[in-house]
Amino acid sequence: MADVKSTASEPPRLQLLRVLGPAHIWALGVGIVLVGEYMGWNFSVGKGGMIAGLVACWVAGLLYTCVAMIDSEVTSTVAAAGGQYAQAKHIVGPLMAFNVGLFLVMAYTMLEAANAITIGFLLDTVAGMQGHSGLNQQPFIILAVMFLAWLNYRGVLATLTFNLVITAIAFLAIITLFLSVQFGVSSVPLDFSAVTTDPLPYGWVGIIASLHFGLWYYLGIEGTCQAAEEVRSPARSLPYGTMAGIMTLLIAATMTWYVCSGLIPWEYLGQAGTPLFDAARVTGNSGLMVLLFIGTILATLASANGCINDASRAWFSMGRDRYLPSWFGAVHPVYRTPYRSIVFLVPIALIFALGAPLDQVVTFSILSGLLGYTFMTFNMVMFRNKWPLDTIKRGYVHPMHPLPTIVLLILCATAYFAVFLGYGTQLIAMVGFYIVASLWFHFRRYRYVRRGDQFTMPWPKPRGY
């Protein structure tokens, strides 16, 4: 790939390096999301019981399968950094693009903060088990975020190769726990009596409410699109990596629910901070406890690492297109990373990691993600209408259109209602925040946007234009 891009009116500009393959895309998507198996998903059990938690797992899996299929088609065609932001810029328009970029940045930054909180909580728990209660979590939270920001600063290939290794270990830890429990390693047998004695303690409304945290199993798989400009073959790598990622997560999510629900009473499981590690503790096997401690640490590091990568790419893209100050659109002259965007977002993540409760940080991330998924439904319809299948070459064509789009829209609407049941005030506050941000962009920033420079794809004019 050329190192520079130049026009008659602009000086040469450094570009991101195309060095990634399908395995890196898998590691980015699964690495961001796998922490959802290690923490956060279990709040869905607290909302509706064991059966509601399982239904939420599979319904959320259907929602994210639709997301993965839609994203694979559009991003394998719009191969630019920023993922869904780049899609909105080419297909819908500036105001939508700004909002989608902001959704992405806040979803990943809040997920990064939740990961840092989990690292501190887990280390405090383990210290308490060793007789050292009252561990100060803040230095570990800060150290984790700063180390991963430094890793991202130094280069994307090292960052995602690191993610590939630690994500694979964390995934194997889940499989090992599942197989160990199945073959009698646990001193406590699996007990699913709550399924028959009290299957829906809060009735059918509990199933709807549980969908809120069921999304946490898969939140972030759409982040594979953020690396589109750094992939050697976007048309091949993005669909393969994304679809392999969602299949991996569906398997891991089901195994996680099965093991945790069988070993831990649902009343405790619904508010546990690290459910898989707690399940390993219940088995009484010290080897499994050590393995799941390592798995939890690695999963949170992989997720935070991928979140820094994705949030910075979205912020960088918005700066490069002047949706934000162009200062953020700089590429490091040696490491070829969006270093200013990486550094700028670090204190925002730390503010939430050090000062907000885990469930509220998780909800902030989930709601930002939901807003982005809602955009995907309209984006997909407009993409197919403006550029039908026979007008431009696609790396992947998702089947049964428009059924996945319709299913995704219905499930997003249900998830909004689920969030409203428990976090209505936060939902309204977040919508207000995005409205204020949209007004700022419209009245203060839009005049700096160069519309003609945004369209980088060699496409024909849209149908009807």
Side-chain angles (χ1 to χ4, degrees):
M1 174 184 175
D3 290 340
V4 296
K5 177 182 178 181
S6 62
T7 65
S9 60
E10 292 187 4
R13 185 170 61 181
L14 290 172
Q15 300 293 293
L16 302 173
L17 291 176
R18 291 193 181 274
V19 293
L20 305 179
H24 295 101
I25 298 302
W26 176 89
L28 177 60
V30 177
I32 289 176
V33 187
L34 194 63
V35 72
E37 273 71 357
Y38 281 89
M39 66 88 173
W41 69 269
N42 52 298
F43 296 148
S44 64
V45 176
K47 290 288 185 180
M50 287 173 56
I51 292 298
L54 180 61
V55 172
C57 169
W58 287 342
V59 171
L62 176 61
L63 184 153
Y64 279 92
T65 299
C66 296
V67 167
M69 289 194 298
I70 291 171
D71 249 1
S72 292
E73 174 171 335
V74 183
T75 308
S76 65
T77 312
V78 187
Q84 292 77 17
Y85 158 77
Q87 298 172 21
K89 181 180 68 175
H90 284 86
I91 299 169
V92 184
L95 183 59
M96 178 60 78
F98 172 79
N99 276 280
V100 170
L102 199 56
F103 298 157
L104 290 167
V105 171
M106 297 312 297
Y108 293 128
T109 303
M110 293 305 103
L111 178 50
E112 176 192 346
N115 292 325
I117 292 171
T118 302
I119 290 174
F121 174 81
L122 178 61
L123 293 176
D124 186 23
T125 300
V126 173
M129 292 170 59
Q130 301 299 318
H132 304 286
S133 59
L135 179 72
N136 186 359
Q137 302 178 25
Q138 294 186 352
F140 298 98
I141 291 173
I142 295 171
L143 180 63
V145 172
M146 295 297 291
F147 166 71
L148 295 174
W150 171 82
L151 187 64
N152 276 268
Y153 187 99
R154 292 296 299 265
V156 69
L157 182 60
T159 297
L160 295 189
T161 300
F162 174 71
N163 249 40
L164 176 60
V165 174
I166 64 177
T167 298
I169 295 172
F171 180 59
L172 289 174
I174 297 176
I175 295 175
T176 301
L177 178 62
F178 174 80
L179 294 176
S180 298
V181 170
Q182 285 294 100
F183 289 101
V185 173
S186 173
S187 59
V188 177
L190 293 171
D191 180 11
F192 295 98
S193 59
V195 173
T196 56
T197 58
D198 196 12
L200 293 172
Y202 302 119
W204 290 100
V205 72
I207 292 180
I208 297 176
S210 68
L211 182 60
H212 172 188
F213 290 106
L215 299 176
W216 199 247
Y217 275 117
Y218 314 97
L219 181 70
I221 186 63
E222 71 279 3
T224 55
C225 302
Q226 300 303 314
E229 205 167 304
E230 296 161 280
V231 175
R232 290 189 294 268
S233 176
R236 171 178 174 269
S237 298
L238 291 169
Y240 282 179
T242 302
M243 299 308 292
I246 191 63
M247 288 187 284
T248 302
L249 293 169
L250 286 165
I251 294 169
T254 303
M255 288 192 299
T256 297
W257 176 91
Y258 178 82
V259 171
C260 292
S261 296
L263 291 175
I264 305 173
W266 75 268
E267 297 89 347
Y268 174 81
L269 179 60
Q271 48 86 40
T274 51
L276 274 172
F277 177 67
D278 290 343
R281 291 172 63 187
V282 170
T283 67
N285 186 294
S286 58
L288 287 177
M289 281 189 276
V290 172
L291 178 62
L292 269 297
F293 167 76
I294 294 172
T296 304
I297 290 292
L298 294 183
T300 51
L301 289 174
S303 180
N305 195 35
C307 287
I308 294 172
N309 180 89
D310 286 354
S312 63
R313 267 61 182 177
W315 199 258
F316 157 79
S317 298
M318 294 169 74
R320 186 172 59 179
D321 294 330
R322 298 176 180 267
Y323 284 63
L324 295 172
S326 57
W327 185 82
F328 292 113
V331 175
H332 196 282
V334 176
Y335 304 124
R336 303 293 179 86
T337 55
Y339 66 108
R340 291 176 180 170
S341 297
I342 292 170
V343 172
F344 176 78
L345 294 173
V346 166
I348 298 175
L350 287 175
I351 288 171
F352 283 91
L354 297 173
L358 178 60
D359 63 333
Q360 293 187 18
V361 174
V362 169
T363 299
F364 197 159
S365 182
I366 287 173
L367 284 173
S368 298
L370 272 176
L371 289 167
Y373 308 147
T374 305
F375 147 76
M376 287 182 192
T377 62
F378 304 103
N379 183 61
M380 187 68 237
V381 172
M382 293 181 68
F383 182 54
R384 283 287 185 97
N385 287 342
K386 288 184 174 182
W387 292 280
L389 293 180
D390 57 347
T391 58
I392 58 175
K393 184 178 179 181
R394 289 160 162 83
Y396 168 82
V397 177
H398 83 271
M400 299 179 290
H401 178 77
L403 182 60
T405 302
I406 296 171
V407 171
L408 178 58
L409 183 60
I410 293 172
L411 292 179
C412 283
T414 306
Y416 284 122
F417 180 65
V419 174
F420 181 78
L421 290 176
Y423 294 82
T425 302
Q426 190 171 351
L427 174 61
I428 294 171
M430 282 190 59
V431 171
F433 164 76
Y434 285 118
I435 290 174
V436 171
S438 298
L439 293 173
W440 172 84
F441 173 77
H442 177 76
F443 290 107
R444 298 300 300 272
R445 194 67 210 173
Y446 179 73
R447 63 179 178 268
Y448 298 104
V449 176
R450 296 176 180 175
R451 289 284 287 149
D453 294 345
Q454 294 183 47
F455 300 99
T456 58
M457 305 306 300
W459 295 348
K461 285 187 177 182
R463 187 172 67 179
Y465 284 75

